[in-house]
Amino acid sequence: VRQWVVVMEPVNPIDDFLVTRGTVQSGVVLRRYLPSSDYPGADPWPTAVDIRGSHGTERTTGARSEGDVVTTVTTWWITSKTPDDPILERPTLNSKIEACGKVWLILDVGPNPRNAKLFRCECQLSTGG
């Protein structure tokens, strides 16, 4: 009788999820939107949280002729920076993701597939920062 010993490496499902959807970005920041601070002279995005994230293809639409408004959108998957970090709260709409010199405005947050640890955000490139 032969016995086989199978050694399996530990798997982090969130790492797998992020990596299979593109390169995990370093230096990704979530700026939470506070509606109560959205008035002239105030900063409605005062809180910055370091996160991990990956985004899909950037899709640009609306460029038909000179002067047209162009919209660039993508899907971001975001999570806490490390497994030891506090669980990331669901981002509020109009929060921002900053990465690689670009600012993405969150327009929709999809269902949370991994128990408050991973979020799918539909975002639009913010030209005004």
Side-chain angles (χ1 to χ4, degrees):
V1 174
R2 284 189 170 168
Q3 290 184 344
W4 295 93
V5 176
V6 177
V7 178
M8 296 181 66
E9 293 182 24
V11 175
N12 182 328
I14 293 178
D15 282 344
D16 270 359
F17 191 92
L18 290 172
V19 171
T20 58
R21 280 151 182 79
T23 304
V24 176
Q25 304 282 340
S26 60
V28 181
V29 174
L30 172 69
R31 291 204 171 267
R32 290 200 171 108
Y33 174 69
L34 295 175
S36 61
S37 297
D38 195 357
Y39 57 87
D43 181 7
W45 298 277
T47 306
V49 178
D50 289 332
I51 57 172
R52 295 179 61 229
S54 177
H55 71 81
T57 305
E58 295 180 16
R59 304 172 305 278
T60 302
T61 59
R64 298 199 195 308
S65 63
E66 188 174 336
D68 280 354
V69 175
V70 176
T71 302
T72 303
V73 297
T74 193
T75 301
W76 270 92
W77 291 271
I78 63 172
T79 186
S80 299
K81 193 158 180 118
T82 69
D84 298 331
D85 287 344
I87 293 173
L88 183 67
E89 293 176 10
R90 183 184 178 109
T92 55
L93 299 186
N94 292 332
S95 292
K96 295 180 179 182
I97 298 172
E98 298 174 355
C100 300
K102 295 181 179 179
V103 177
W104 297 92
L105 188 67
I106 297 176
L107 303 177
D108 185 38
V109 180
N112 182 355
R114 300 264 184 208
N115 300 325
K117 294 183 181 178
L118 182 69
F119 296 91
R120 181 178 188 265
C121 305
E122 297 301 327
C123 301
Q124 178 177 323
L125 187 63
S126 175
T127 56

